[in-house]
Amino acid sequence: MRLSLAAIGLISLAITGCSEGSTSPFAGFGERPELPTPKKALLPTVNIAKIAPWPAGEQPTAPAGFKVTRYAADLDHPRWLYVLPNGDVLAAESATEPAKPEGFRDWVAQIIQKQAGALQKSPNRIVLLRDADGDGVAEFRSVFATDLKRPFGMALVGDTLYVANDDAIVRLPYAAGDTKARGAAVKVFDLPGGPINHHWTKNIIASPDGTKLYATVGSNSNVGENGLKAEDGRAQVVEFTLPAGPSRPYATGLRNPNGLDFEPVTGALWTAVNERDEIGNDLVPDYMTSLKDGGFYGWPWSYYGDHVDVRVQPPRPDMVAKAIAPDYALGAHTASLGLAFYKAQAFPARYQGGVFIGQHGSWNRRPASGYQVVYIPFANGRPSGKPEVFLGGFLNAKGQAHGRPVGVAVDARGALLVADDAGNTVWRVAPAS
């Protein structure tokens, strides 16, 4: 693609933009985050953390009293994790694939994705990892399932493993100890897919009684610029009745929900959501929130309750009036994806009942945000206390990314597993003794 000098100048301006957001490590966190005035620019800030592979002997850093091990290395873009009842771990390997850009903005977006290690041929498979001797390293691995379409979320109900592809939920038979799926995947439910499929990652979780599946479906745009018809069935969490339906919207107005887990005290379903871009370094904070059945959370017309996004036309004051403010902000542009409540007992008592969030990291904020796993304590089913970095060190002193955390899960021994899709590694964090 040949660019004019004017276009090159615009890219340079976006990349080197002079304005910066807050340098506080937890700016835009909390139950009542400070929301600055929106700032609209010709092009968004572009601040890419280019990938620099982990140097030999280096790894992320955890708090004192914990040790970090490479549970599994040399994977192919591991995105999401699921721990089976026997302790085996499934890692879904999938990626955003190159496509012919449909204009200047798409062309710039693909440059950003490629430099951030997020644009490649998708592996489209699930790998099974097993640590039989309990040393924190999976000494056995097997390709569990192939011929999937950008798999992401996984959920086992009885002897059926459900997998969320980018356009459908499929099922595979499973028996304890299986290292390979017994047959091809069979489609169970459709999910919104192409031709745009802007936010393609779909996560699922089963209800505790095994009668329902909940699926996340992200929007097809930033703020509806592809037309609201393209958003049919999107920007929501969908409830499916097992084994064959029906389905219904459970919660809507969620721009790009990903992580899902049930809070252990109240039993409420919580999700981590990526909010909108291009109105400032400190807007809009990503968030986690409990989901109310039938609740509407604002996208695209508003954010954080009744904060109107004037870019969305025509305005819908009726929808803004219905919007529920989320429970807890996770910082602007942090790309908060993974969400797992700590329900085990291996960690010190102060961690029990709290939540871990995998933050994949920003591409359009200066300074960069995310690139870490954070921990937020809970009490009586609600966030309580200050957030802390639980796993850091993904960015080096040059601002390069050694890795990018995505999915988080608690393994059978109570350790935290973290999928690092840019570092092609699953990290394990456990007490040091």
Side-chain angles (χ1 to χ4, degrees):
M1 179 176 182
R2 188 182 179 96
L3 294 178
S4 68
L5 289 176
I8 293 172
L10 288 174
I11 294 176
S12 178
L13 178 64
I15 292 175
T16 61
C18 57
S19 65
E20 291 198 0
S22 172
T23 58
S24 170
F26 292 113
F29 275 69
E31 293 179 275
R32 290 176 292 278
E34 182 179 344
L35 300 178
T37 301
K39 296 179 180 179
K40 185 78 163 61
L42 181 62
L43 287 174
T45 298
V46 178
N47 183 27
I48 308 162
K50 296 182 180 179
I51 299 303
W54 287 99
E58 291 193 19
Q59 59 192 32
T61 55
F66 290 90
K67 63 180 178 181
V68 180
T69 58
R70 282 177 169 82
Y71 184 79
D74 301 318
L75 295 166
D76 190 359
H77 216 253
R79 297 281 286 173
W80 216 246
L81 303 171
Y82 186 78
V83 180
L84 293 164
N86 72 338
D88 289 345
V89 176
L90 299 177
E93 297 180 323
S94 52
T96 300
E97 294 192 309
K100 183 178 180 181
E102 297 183 3
F104 177 70
R105 187 175 287 270
D106 276 358
W107 181 80
V108 173
Q110 290 198 20
I111 290 176
I112 294 167
Q113 290 172 323
K114 187 173 182 179
Q115 292 186 338
L119 198 67
Q120 65 170 71
K121 181 175 175 58
S122 182
N124 294 337
R125 66 181 188 176
I126 295 173
V127 175
L128 181 139
L129 307 168
R130 179 177 293 169
D131 173 19
D133 59 9
D135 66 350
V137 177
E139 71 277 358
F140 173 85
R141 71 177 65 185
S142 172
V143 175
F144 183 81
T146 58
D147 299 323
L148 300 168
K149 189 176 180 184
R150 293 196 290 189
F152 199 75
M154 297 158 281
L156 181 67
V157 179
D159 59 1
T160 300
L161 179 70
Y162 294 94
V163 178
N165 281 339
D166 74 0
D167 62 357
I169 297 174
V170 300
R171 59 177 169 83
L172 296 159
Y174 173 79
D178 282 357
T179 60
K180 186 176 181 180
R182 305 182 185 192
V186 176
K187 185 170 74 171
V188 183
F189 302 113
D190 286 314
L191 292 171
I196 301 174
N197 214 5
H198 179 64
H199 290 121
W200 59 266
T201 53
K202 312 293 200 300
N203 187 27
I204 52 175
I205 192 171
S207 62
D209 64 5
T211 64
K212 310 285 187 184
L213 273 184
Y214 296 89
T216 66
V217 183
S219 69
N220 244 343
S221 62
N222 182 30
V223 281
E225 64 272 12
N226 293 322
L228 292 186
K229 182 62 179 174
E231 306 298 344
D232 285 351
R234 304 191 72 111
Q236 61 183 262
V237 171
V238 185
E239 180 189 81
F240 295 91
T241 299
L242 295 176
S247 66
R248 68 183 180 98
Y250 184 77
T252 59
L254 303 158
R255 178 178 174 270
N256 185 24
N258 277 269
L260 288 171
D261 201 3
F262 291 96
E263 193 280 321
V265 173
T266 64
L269 180 60
W270 284 66
T271 187
V273 178
N274 287 195
E275 252 291 359
R276 65 202 75 198
D277 300 320
E278 302 183 32
I279 51 175
N281 284 297
D282 292 331
L283 280 180
V284 172
D286 293 346
Y287 61 84
M288 63 176 180
T289 192
S290 59
L291 294 177
K292 295 178 172 60
D293 190 350
F296 172 71
Y297 292 83
W299 190 89
W301 294 282
S302 67
Y303 56 90
Y304 262 82
D306 60 359
H307 293 81
V308 174
D309 192 329
V310 298
R311 295 173 295 177
V312 185
Q313 296 295 324
R316 288 288 305 271
D318 57 324
M319 298 302 291
V320 173
K322 293 167 53 177
I324 300 169
D327 290 305
Y328 193 93
L330 295 169
H333 312 298
T334 55
S336 296
L337 298 173
L339 180 150
F341 284 100
Y342 192 76
K343 304 170 188 176
Q345 286 76 46
F347 284 11
R350 72 185 190 88
Y351 289 100
Q352 294 170 22
V355 69
F356 292 98
I357 304 291
Q359 298 192 316
H360 200 220
S362 61
W363 64 266
N364 66 327
R365 185 178 191 272
R366 188 176 300 276
S369 59
Y371 298 95
Q372 61 191 3
V373 176
V374 297
Y375 169 77
I376 296 108
F378 267 57
N380 302 316
R382 301 290 304 172
S384 175
K386 295 181 179 179
E388 65 179 74
V389 177
F390 187 76
L391 196 65
F394 288 89
L395 289 179
N396 65 21
K398 298 179 181 179
Q400 299 167 322
H402 294 319
R404 305 184 75 187
V406 195
V408 292
V410 178
D411 75 10
R413 296 182 177 91
L416 185 73
L417 301 176
V418 179
D420 173 358
D421 65 353
N424 293 319
T425 299
V426 174
W427 302 102
R428 185 177 189 266
V429 189
S433 58

